[in-house]
Amino acid sequence: MDDRLKQLLVLGREHYERREYDLAEHALRQILEKTDRFADVFNMLGVILHERGDFLAAEAHFERAVQLNEHYTEALLNLAVTYNDLGKYEAARQVYSRIRRGEGETGVLDPFVRGKIANMHADLAKAYADVGCAQEAIAELERAVALCPTFADLRLRLGTMYRDAGNLALAREHYAAARDANPKYARARVLLGIALHSLGAPDQAIAEWREALALDPDNMTAKMYLRLVEARRGARAGEAAPRESAPPPTVPGATWSTLDEATPTEVTDLLSRTTADAAEATDEAAREGSS
């Protein structure tokens, strides 16, 4: 390698590490005019092109990097991510399989690598969910969570997928894991509360909703659920000790007898409808106030 080529490589890598992509590209392109045998040059150019949104050009550069070095893990990951961005989900899965074979199924991957692969699985899960393939979406999210069990957002998404599939026990498990991974995640506590209430644990549900409000005092969903459940309890107390009193507050679409007789799933549906009705009423009031 001549001295000029060495200087260009050093310069290109330094600019790339500092994210000075225009300067890095200028040096890297000069290298390609002299030789096309450096896998990392193609990988760096691929990252630069991907950053600009030119996924097709990025794809070609990452593929060339992998051709030159089939064990180049970073380039493989970048290629898989780019395939995902282009909607080539099966190609992304195949590249991921190559990475796993190279590392060994039981090997401990670098956290950066695990995070990238987990996000790939999450993207694929969304693609499956968008076309109605719930079980496939759940399977992809399970893989994502297995790689990054402390990613609260992935846990929350998986919990919601299980909830929508009717498996409240697993929904509760993943909501609780999301809360434990990020105790300040108010939404995780709200959804955990719904699952707990539906599974017949109202006291635990109320505790989660109150904690959610402590974290986010303006959380309208937590306020609505607390109001509904506490009003229901007040109605029961009134039935146990009859006296002249005002009736419990009415909630659109809900009655206390309905709640008493409902199955856990029906309670969840009723609570969801109540939240939607309250939001609609708020919007109507806002529109009337502005007219």
Side-chain angles (χ1 to χ4, degrees), residues 204-219:
Q204 295 177 52
I206 288 172
E208 292 297 338
W209 293 330
R210 285 177 175 165
E211 185 60 32
L213 283 175
L215 294 166
D216 178 11
D218 296 323
N219 192 303

Side-chain angles (χ1 to χ4, degrees), residues 48-91:
I48 292 168
L49 292 163
H50 187 280
E51 186 80 8
R52 293 174 183 163
D54 190 349
F55 298 147
L56 287 173
E59 174 190 28
H61 282 75
F62 292 138
E63 286 177 340
R64 178 57 178 158
V66 172
Q67 287 173 359
L68 290 168
N69 182 357
E70 63 181 11
H71 302 297
Y72 194 169
T73 301
E74 185 181 350
L76 284 165
L77 281 168
N78 289 332
L79 178 58
V81 170
T82 304
Y83 280 151
N84 252 16
D85 291 332
L86 291 168
K88 299 180 178 180
Y89 301 117
E90 183 56 33

Side-chain angles (χ1 to χ4, degrees), residues 80-187:
V81 170
T82 304
Y83 280 151
N84 252 16
D85 291 332
L86 291 168
K88 299 180 178 180
Y89 301 117
E90 183 56 33
R93 185 197 296 275
Q94 291 175 8
V95 173
Y96 164 69
S97 297
R98 287 177 61 182
I99 297 168
R100 293 298 297 178
R101 285 196 301 270
E103 295 287 345
E105 287 295 330
T106 59
V108 178
L109 298 176
D110 178 87
F112 171 77
V113 175
R114 287 202 307 270
K116 271 203 166 185
I117 296 174
N119 286 330
M120 287 164 50
H121 281 301
D123 289 342
L124 189 52
K126 184 179 185 304
Y128 275 126
D130 287 346
V131 295
C133 299
Q135 291 305 313
E136 289 82 356
I138 287 172
E140 291 300 331
L141 280 173
E142 285 282 12
R143 294 185 181 102
V145 166
L147 284 165
C148 296
T150 60
F151 280 22
D153 59 328
L154 296 180
R155 287 281 195 177
L156 203 69
R157 287 174 59 183
L158 182 54
T160 299
M161 290 294 299
Y162 275 123
R163 181 201 66 190
D164 293 346
N167 193 331
L168 289 172
L170 280 176
R172 177 186 61 185
E173 177 183 324
H174 288 289
Y175 288 149
R179 174 205 59 192
D180 295 342
N182 183 359
K184 294 183 179 181
Y185 197 179
R187 178 164 173 74

Side-chain angles (χ1 to χ4, degrees), residues 224 227-228 249-256 269-281:
M224 177 60 65
R227 188 179 302 123
L228 179 62
T250 58
V251 179
T255 65
W256 310 124
D269 292 342
L270 184 58
L271 289 172
S272 298
R273 289 199 303 273
T274 300
T275 303
D277 291 341
E280 184 176 342

